């Protein structure tokens, strides 16, 4: 399986490190930088589906200026693209994939259930057969349902409850317990399983590989990449925050303050706690919180932080992030540290 997987992504080095398609914040510069470093970078969904077409065009331009990224099967772009099925337009998405042919399409959060993945996968494969289908799930039930679909994914990303952004609202489980059970259920399927959620350094990568993962996905760690499409105040808060169990929580409050509604009920985002959440817990009316939130949005970078009010979606691994670095440095350092940890566990006999 490992050899087959790497043949699809010939520029990738092991361990296989992936940057998650974080909405808006994972832009072309970040995705290309991660792939250039020997990982696989994903562009995140845009504010509207058409934005991903624009981002793929920019990524294509950046890649054609690059040297050192090996060609991909069928001449696909060495970056992936992500979509939230509940909100994105399938026809617009498929048209962008047909035109730019990213090496992978990451599908997540269907409104109509697992069969919606079949529709998206079928249409994508019709216009770009070499674009691999990656599907993100967070439960054993979802894994079993995917195995019954007519259009099986090429890769499954299993997200633990430690993750940032939108994860399972009520039935999420930590990766350490969740991953082995899902892996057992998928045994014999020949579908690579990637681990996501709470992984921010080489120790997490090594642990995921020991659980049987074919690779790892990191989102929060790449919020602190210099190429991330993110406000300085947001990025500073990701670096500042510690103790993810105390400093982060799952809540829809920030979605609603921002005017975002419509996520399927099984999903809820993890965010860093600030005054908006604290005051909501104390009983301040939502309309007043929204007024204060909108005022804070006008203050620029001061809108984030413990005394700020703006959404800071991030995972429980924030306490492991201590500074902003270029994405290439993040990938290489994490890979080297993971290999070092594994070698310590399995020293060579002289």
């Amino acid at each position: 399986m490992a050899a087959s997987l790497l043949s699809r992504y010939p520029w990738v080095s092991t361990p296989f490190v992936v940057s998650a398609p974080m909405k808006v914040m994972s832009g072309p510069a970040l995705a290309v930088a991660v792939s250039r470093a020997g990982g696989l970078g994903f562009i995140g969904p845009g504010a509207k589906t058409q934005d991903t077409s624009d981002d793929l065009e920019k990524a294509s331009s950046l890649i054609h200026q690059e040297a050192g990224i090996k060609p991909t099967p069928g001449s696909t772009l060495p970056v992936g693209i992500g979509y939230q099925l509940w909100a994105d337009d399938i026809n617009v998405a498929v048209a962008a994939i047909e035109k730019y042919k990213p090496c992978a399409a990451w599908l997540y959060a269907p409104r109509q259930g697992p069969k919606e993945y079949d529709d998206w996968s079928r249409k994508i494969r019709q216009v770009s057969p070499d674009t691999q289908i990656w599907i993100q799930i967070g439960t054993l039930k979802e894994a079993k349902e995917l195995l019954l679909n007519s259009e099986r994914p090429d890769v499954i990303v299993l997200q633990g409850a430690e993750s940032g952004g939108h994860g399972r609202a009520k039935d999420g489980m930590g990766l350490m317990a969740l991953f082995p059970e899902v892996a057992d259920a998928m045994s014999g399927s020949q579908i690579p399983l990637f681990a996501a959620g709470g992984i921010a350094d080489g120790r997490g990568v090594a642990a995921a590989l020991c659980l049987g993962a074919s690779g790892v996905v990191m989102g929060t760690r790449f919020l602190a990449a210099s190429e991330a499409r993110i406000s300085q105040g947001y990025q500073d808060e990701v670096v500042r925050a510690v103790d993810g169990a105390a400093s982060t929580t799952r809540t829809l409050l920030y979605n609603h303050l921002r005017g975002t509604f419509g996520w399927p009920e099984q999903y809820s985002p993890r965010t860093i706690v600030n005054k908006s959440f604290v005051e909501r817990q104390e009983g301040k009316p939502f309309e007043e919180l929204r007024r204060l939130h909108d005022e804070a949005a006008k203050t620029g970078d001061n809108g984030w932080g413990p005394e700020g009010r703006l959404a800071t979606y991030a995972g429980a691994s924030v306490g492991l992030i201590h500074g902003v670095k270029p994405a290439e440095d993040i990938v290489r350092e994490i890979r080297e540290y993971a290999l070092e940890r594994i070698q310590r566990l399995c020293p060579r006999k002289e």
Side-chain angles (χ1 to χ4, degrees), residues 44 87 89 113 115 121 156 162 181 190 204 248 268 283 288 305 343 347:
D89 185 310
K115 290 302 180 183
S121 299
I156 291 176
E162 307 91 336
E181 189 172 11
Q190 296 301 306
T248 71
S268 180
E288 175 65 8
Q343 289 166 0

Side-chain angles (χ1 to χ4, degrees), residues 283-327:
K284 181 164 287 191
F286 176 80
E287 291 303 323
E288 175 65 8
L289 288 174
R290 185 165 61 181
R291 182 186 68 79
L292 294 169
H293 171 275
D294 292 347
E295 289 180 358
K298 300 174 184 178
T299 66
D301 291 332
N302 292 327
W304 284 276
E307 298 303 308
R309 296 183 175 278
L310 303 185
T312 315
Y313 302 119
S317 63
V318 285
L320 301 175
I321 300 169
H322 308 299
V324 177
K325 295 181 179 181

Side-chain angles (χ1 to χ4, degrees), residues 101-289:
K101 293 186 169 45
C103 66
W106 180 306
L107 309 180
Y108 183 48
R111 184 180 297 282
Q112 305 300 328
K115 290 302 180 183
E116 197 171 344
Y117 288 127
D118 272 345
D119 192 22
W120 277 73
S121 299
R122 187 178 301 109
K123 290 185 176 182
I124 290 170
R125 285 168 169 156
Q126 285 172 352
V127 301
S128 183
D130 291 312
T131 296
Q132 298 265 286
I133 303 297
W134 292 48
I135 292 180
Q136 177 186 331
I137 60 172
T139 64
L140 176 64
K141 179 175 181 286
E142 289 175 290
K144 291 180 176 179
E145 288 172 341
L146 280 182
L147 294 178
L148 297 176
N149 276 10
S150 60
E151 296 283 339
R152 284 194 174 189
D154 297 293
V155 173
I156 291 176
V157 177
L158 182 61
Q159 180 194 57
E162 307 91 336
S163 64
H166 288 74
R168 303 296 298 191
K170 297 179 180 179
D171 56 358
M173 180 65 68
L175 197 62
M176 188 64 69
L178 177 64
F179 195 98
E181 189 172 11
V182 171
D184 287 348
M186 289 176 52
S187 178
S189 71
Q190 296 301 306
I191 301 174
L193 187 59
F194 278 58
I199 302 171
D201 63 17
R203 292 170 293 185
V205 173
L209 296 179
C210 288
L211 289 174
S214 296
V216 300
V217 175
M218 295 185 295
T220 303
R221 182 64 191 90
F222 286 108
L223 289 175
S226 55
E227 298 89 348
R229 196 159 52 184
I230 186 173
S231 299
Q232 185 65 52
Y234 191 142
Q235 197 167 61
D236 289 345
E237 182 64 356
V238 171
V239 174
R240 182 207 64 81
V242 296
D243 189 2
S247 65
T248 71
T249 188
R250 286 206 181 276
T251 176
L252 289 168
L253 174 63
Y254 295 94
N255 277 20
H256 298 165
L257 289 173
R258 297 170 63 243
T260 300
F261 296 88
W263 269 90
E265 62 181 1
Q266 62 266 38
Y267 302 104
S268 180
R270 182 179 294 279
T271 69
I272 298 175
V273 170
N274 60 21
K275 287 189 73 173
S276 289
F277 182 78
V278 172
E279 292 181 354
R280 183 58 170 167
Q281 296 296 102
E282 293 171 347
K284 181 164 287 191
F286 176 80
E287 291 303 323
E288 175 65 8
L289 288 174

Side-chain angles (χ1 to χ4, degrees), residues 73-95:
S75 298
T76 55
L77 288 178
V79 295
I81 187 73
Y83 296 101
Q84 294 173 354
L85 274 57
W86 74 272
D88 279 310
D89 185 310
I90 187 171
N91 295 318
V92 174
V94 169

